[in-house]
Amino acid sequence: MIAFFEALFNPSMPFVRNALVAGLLSSVLFGILGTVVTVKRIAGLAGAISHAVLGGIGMALYLSATNILPNLPPIAGAIVFAVLAALIIGIVSMKARQREDTVINAIWAIGMSIGVLFMAKTPGYTDPSSYLFGNILLISTRDLALLGILDVVVVLLVWRFYPQLEATSFDNEFAQVKGLSTNAVFLILLIVTAIAVVLLQTFVGIVMVIAMLTLPAGTAGFSAKNMIGMMVLAWLYSSLFSVGGLVAGWNFDLPVGAMVVVLAGAVFLSFSFFRLLKTRRKKSLQPPEQSPGEANA
Amino acid sequence: MPTGYASHHPDKPFVLRFDHVQFSYGQVPVLEAASFHIHEGEFVALVGPNGAGKTTVLKLVLGLAQPNGGSITLFGSSPRIGRDRIGYVPQHADYDPTFPISVEEVVRMGRIRPFMRSYSSKDYDAVHSALQTMELSDLAKRPYHALSGGQRRRVLVARALSASPDMLVLDEPTSNMDADSERRLFAALGALKGKTTVLIVTHDTGFVSSLTDRVLCVGDVGPSRIGRTIVQHRIEPTKDAPAQLFGGDALKVLHDSSLDDDCCCPPGGAE
């Protein structure tokens, strides 16, 4: 613990501060977008988008290394792929009810494969694992600035459109009858999530972004009274897991991204376990009778 | 000779009119030459067995699906415009029990407008009066998922009523509902009768609530025997209905009788 704080204030180790700031800035997105992804049950869609991002990273690395587009940052390719994946997945899920999951899984796999193929052809050695599992050493000041901007954008969007977000998440058909552009809300949400996934993968990596978009929100869901409460609580949990994972990872010399996810997963599973025990105890104390109309409701 | 109407308002303007509506899902025909109309203030039951196309009719009324042929008029315009005056009570069977939301917040949704930022005190007044109408004021702060199935359905009716709609559309409101909730629901609908047009969709093809003015049935095959069409049946008071149904007296649907669509008023009249 002390070693971490010494490193934090050591001027020769700016990356430790960057990692802490990245964790805290990421937590805002994990909390807010994670809540929406969880209550709208589109974690699978977000998972496909996040994995497809590897294709964009690989392509950008290749174009940059072969001097076709010199100095093209991997993040640019990642954003293009993420937004494309979001649009394809969004339109497929709105239009085609059948084979929706097949298309989503195809995007997931094709995106990753394109990444691997480009990386194989990129001159020099490219290690995909830092993109897959995150690497706090890679977080730049530019990444932090972008995360900060996206935090502000997401908070403003939620502040401005909370009623629409709540209504379309709870009952999309009713919202549509009330004249809301439910498709527009859905597509904007997917695109914002796609961009967020790209920025968030610097902290926890492509593979584990989806875990941080669902576990803190899921944990918050056990006690939150409404969506806004769930967002705030999920943000607090994310901050806790991020800082905790960073400190633990630093102290035990372990990958930070994986540490954060293990912490978030352990807390979520403990909450689930205690909830299960509580419901069981409640059921065993209650007589089993229920009115016939409510039994199946 | 009985007219088949408990009470009827042919003098009142049309609220909804289907004129030879045709609809198919891809290659599968669902509706064929479906024509019916509903007058202002009427209480109409749309009945039919499962899979007959009731949900399709509902989607067409609400502008969630577009007909392949014929025309639909709702409050003098297309369903997409006219639906603004509808209070819709869905089945909401696929609802997520882990969704964190209170009863009051669900009802508040009935007041939503496409680009509003927050709900006003006027919105909250309407919410509280709708909760009162449905006898739910005590449960306003409770989590929605903690309610019984019947109570949740009444919350959805309150949500629809909070916008003071001119027409209420209810999709299978009594499925999985306990007797007490059913009684309260029909008491509330009884208070609205005559003032608000009501279209209630149900798969119970034998009996309808005694509040019902007219019964429309989806299910008979259409003229070319491909899709289904909609016919109007006579109804008569009965003592055979199961007890506790509809919270009061029920009417029996006479399936062997059918009334012409224009039997209540001259073709094209009462517009």
Side-chain angles (χ1 to χ4, degrees), chain A residues 40-258:
Chain A
K40 274 187 92 81
R41 306 204 154 207
I42 52 168
L45 275 60
I49 293 171
S50 73
H51 286 76
V53 158
L54 192 70
I57 292 174
M59 191 183 266
L61 287 172
Y62 174 81
L63 292 176
S64 161
T66 50
N67 275 327
I68 297 171
L69 280 171
N71 301 322
L72 180 73
I75 205 168
I79 287 184
V80 170
F81 260 61
V83 172
L84 272 179
L87 285 174
I88 296 171
I89 289 173
I91 290 165
V92 166
S93 114
M94 282 182 318
K95 300 278 175 206
R97 290 278 156 234
Q98 304 106 342
R99 303 209 181 266
E100 182 190 338
D101 51 343
T102 314
V103 175
I104 289 168
N105 287 323
I107 300 269
W108 181 312
I110 292 172
M112 285 198 95
S113 306
I114 290 176
V116 172
L117 293 177
F118 271 112
M119 282 183 190
K121 281 288 165 197
T122 303
Y125 175 69
T126 316
D127 177 18
S129 74
S130 63
Y131 298 105
L132 291 174
F133 305 112
N135 188 344
I136 52 164
L137 295 173
L138 288 182
I139 297 169
S140 64
T141 326
R142 188 198 56 203
D143 292 336
L144 296 182
L146 289 174
L147 265 176
I149 292 169
L150 192 61
D151 279 357
V152 173
V153 169
V154 166
V155 169
L156 278 178
L157 280 175
V158 170
W159 172 79
R160 178 60 188 79
F161 295 107
Y162 184 72
Q164 291 78 6
L165 199 56
E166 181 189 59
T168 54
S169 304
F170 180 72
D171 187 347
N172 200 55
E173 190 186 58
F174 182 82
Q176 210 178 339
V177 173
K178 294 298 285 183
L180 269 65
S181 309
T182 51
N183 286 346
V185 173
F186 182 59
L187 274 185
I188 291 170
L189 174 68
L190 278 189
I191 290 171
V192 171
T193 307
I195 296 171
V197 156
V198 173
L199 302 181
L200 291 170
Q201 55 85 20
T202 54
F203 186 59
V204 285
I206 285 171
V207 176
M208 288 176 286
V209 158
I210 192 61
M212 283 306 284
L213 278 176
T214 48
L215 294 173
T219 311
F222 285 116
S223 51
K225 298 259 182 292
N226 51 29
M227 247 176 89
I228 191 83
M230 190 167 162
M231 287 174 178
V232 173
L233 209 55
W235 165 57
L236 288 175
Y237 282 135
S238 299
S239 310
L240 220 62
F241 300 148
S242 299
V243 176
L246 191 58
V247 174
W250 182 262
N251 278 353
F252 301 116
D253 193 22
L254 288 166
V256 170

Side-chain angles (χ1 to χ4, degrees), chain B residues 61-219:
Chain B
V61 171
L62 297 169
L64 298 171
Q66 307 304 320
N68 304 117
S71 67
I72 302 168
T73 320
L74 180 65
F75 291 107
S77 356
S78 71
R80 274 171 170 251
I81 296 168
R83 69 183 176 191
D84 208 31
R85 295 167 68 180
I86 282 186
Y88 173 45
V89 184
Q91 288 198 54
H92 206 212
D94 59 348
Y95 114 95
D96 172 9
T98 61
F99 198 105
I101 195 160
S102 71
V103 167
E104 189 181 51
E105 284 166 328
V106 173
V107 177
R108 195 175 69 169
M109 253 174 235
R111 303 283 302 178
I112 200 166
R113 292 170 298 282
F115 289 99
M116 70 188 301
R117 195 187 75 70
S118 56
Y119 295 95
S120 65
S121 58
K122 206 178 142 202
D123 290 326
Y124 279 100
D125 290 345
V127 167
H128 293 139
S129 116
L131 283 168
Q132 219 160 12
T133 306
M134 293 315 294
E135 302 178 41
L136 289 164
S137 300
D138 297 346
L139 303 175
K141 302 289 177 198
R142 289 275 296 278
Y144 179 70
H145 68 80
L147 268 48
S148 74
Q151 287 170 330
R152 281 204 296 272
R153 200 59 59 83
R154 275 159 50 219
V155 172
L156 298 185
V157 177
R159 176 176 71 167
L161 290 178
S162 71
S164 316
D166 293 320
M167 180 179 182
L168 203 57
V169 176
L170 304 104
D171 189 6
E172 304 270 8
T174 55
S175 63
N176 288 326
M177 207 179 216
D178 54 287
D180 177 57
S181 278
E182 197 161 321
R183 185 188 54 74
R184 289 175 195 240
L185 171 67
F186 279 96
L189 292 179
L192 290 172
K193 190 174 157 73
K195 288 174 272 185
T196 306
T197 311
V198 176
L199 175 64
I200 189 162
V201 177
T202 165
H203 68 271
D204 189 342
T205 52
F207 303 97
V208 291
S209 152
S210 61
L211 295 168
T212 313
D213 296 323
R214 294 199 289 138
V215 170
L216 301 165
C217 183
V218 198

